[in-house]
Amino acid sequence: MQEESPPPLVGCSKPHLEKLTLGITRILESSPGVTEVTILEKAPAERHMISSWEQKNNCVLPEDVKNFYLMTNGFHMTWSVKLDEHTIPLGSMAINSITKLTQLNQSSMYSLPNAPTLADLEDDTEEASENQPEKPHFDSRSVIFELDSCNGNGKVCLVYKKGKPALAKDTEIWFLDRALYWHFLTETFTAYYRLLITHLGLPQWQYAFTNYGISPQAKQWFNMYKPITYSTNLLTEETDSFVNRLDPSRVFKSKNKILVPKKKGPVQPAGVQKGPSGPPSTSKASSGSGNPVRK
C-alpha cells in the first residue's frame, strides 16, 4: 500500500497539529537561527488497519499506540538552522506509520541460507541489573518493531518482552545503537513521545540515555538548543572534556548592525599646546607606544 502524504506544513497553524506537537513549534521558531520548522501532516489510520496489523503480527498494540495512530498515521517534524546564508537540516522527529511498523529481525540483509542473523548475537551473560530491566532478545523470546530509524544513528524500537502471542502489557521502548547494544528508554509509548518532543529532535539525542552519551559535535548543538527535559544535566557531568560552547546571540547576530568606531583622544596640532614644551623624543615615545587609552 502506497501512502499518500500531503505537502509539508511550515509552522503549526492547525489546532490538532498544535496539540500533537505539544506547542514545541513556537519554542523552535523563537530560537535564534532556527528556520523551516516543518510538519508532514498525515491522515489518521483507520481501525481496520490497526486490527489487520495485530492479526498479521499476532501482537496486541498498547492503547496509547492505538490512540496515536488513530490521530495520525505516523509523525515527521523537521527544522533547520541558517548559518552564513546556508540552511543546515538539524532537528528530526519521526515515528513510523502503522504500515512501516515492521518486525526488526525479519528485515534481514542476507539471503543465503547459512548467513548470520541477529539471533546469533545473543549473549545470555548480559542479564538484568539493578538499574536496568532485562534487555530484549533478538531470538523468539522478544518481538521487536522499529518505531524510528534515527537517521542512521540507531533504532528506537517497540519491544514485546515475552514473545508471541504478544500482549500490550509486556511492551517497553528501547534504543538499539549502531553497535547493536540495547538501552532502555521508557516503559510506555506516551512517555517516549514526550521525550522525543522535549529533546527537540536534536541529532543523536537518544545517546543521552546510554553509558557513553552523545558525541562532542552533538553536544555543541545541545548547548545551543537545550532540550526541555531533565537530561540536560548530562551535558555538564564531564567537566574534564573540552566542548566548544557557542553563543547563539553571537553566532546569529545581525550583519546589518552599524559599527560605531571607537572615539580617539583629541590630537593636538603642534605649537598649540600651552606651557613649556618637552623634548621631541618624549612626544614621540608617548604617541608611538601603542598602549591602550584608559577611559
Side-chain angles (χ1 to χ4, degrees), residues 136-180:
H137 300 280
F138 290 114
D139 54 22
S140 59
R141 286 176 289 180
S142 300
V143 189
I144 307 166
F145 297 93
E146 180 181 329
L147 285 172
D148 180 16
S149 60
C150 306
N151 290 330
N153 292 316
K155 295 181 184 297
V156 172
C157 300
L158 173 69
V159 178
Y160 290 83
K161 301 294 291 292
K162 296 184 179 180
K164 294 183 178 182
L167 304 178
K169 64 182 181 66
D170 298 327
T171 58
E172 293 173 347
I173 308 297
W174 286 73
F175 174 60
L176 180 66
D177 65 18
R178 295 189 62 179
L180 300 181

Side-chain angles (χ1 to χ4, degrees), residues 96-152:
N96 288 338
S97 63
I98 187 70
T99 55
K100 294 184 178 179
L101 189 63
T102 55
Q103 193 168 342
L104 184 65
N105 53 9
Q106 288 182 351
S107 57
S108 177
M109 298 173 56
Y110 306 97
S111 57
L112 298 176
N114 297 325
T117 62
L118 289 175
D120 296 324
L121 299 175
E122 282 299 321
D123 185 6
D124 291 333
T125 58
E126 296 185 8
E127 293 297 334
S129 61
E130 296 180 358
N131 300 326
Q132 289 278 347
E134 182 182 356
K135 295 183 179 180
H137 300 280
F138 290 114
D139 54 22
S140 59
R141 286 176 289 180
S142 300
V143 189
I144 307 166
F145 297 93
E146 180 181 329
L147 285 172
D148 180 16
S149 60
C150 306
N151 290 330

Side-chain angles (χ1 to χ4, degrees), residues 185-186 190-201 205 209 229-231:
L185 291 180
T186 61
T190 301
Y192 166 72
Y193 184 77
R194 290 171 181 167
L195 282 184
L196 174 67
I197 296 295
T198 55
H199 278 83
L200 309 178
W205 71 265
F209 296 87
T229 181
Y230 61 87
S231 64

Side-chain angles (χ1 to χ4, degrees), residues 200-236:
L200 309 178
L202 286 165
Q204 305 175 20
W205 71 265
Q206 297 88 355
Y207 283 87
F209 296 87
T210 65
N211 296 331
Y212 27 88
I214 58 179
S215 66
Q217 181 181 5
K219 194 172 290 188
Q220 292 184 0
W221 293 117
F222 267 63
N223 283 317
M224 291 188 64
Y225 304 102
K226 290 183 173 58
I228 314 168
T229 181
Y230 61 87
S231 64
T232 51
N233 58 352
L234 298 174
L235 300 176
T236 57

Side-chain angles (χ1 to χ4, degrees), residues 2 12 29 60 65 74 106 120 134 165 172 184 202 210 212 231 243 245 268:
Q2 186 176 1
C12 191
E29 290 172 345
V60 179
V65 179
Q106 288 182 351
D120 296 324
E134 182 182 356
E172 293 173 347
F184 177 76
L202 286 165
T210 65
Y212 27 88
S231 64
V243 177
R245 298 184 180 274
Q268 296 180 352

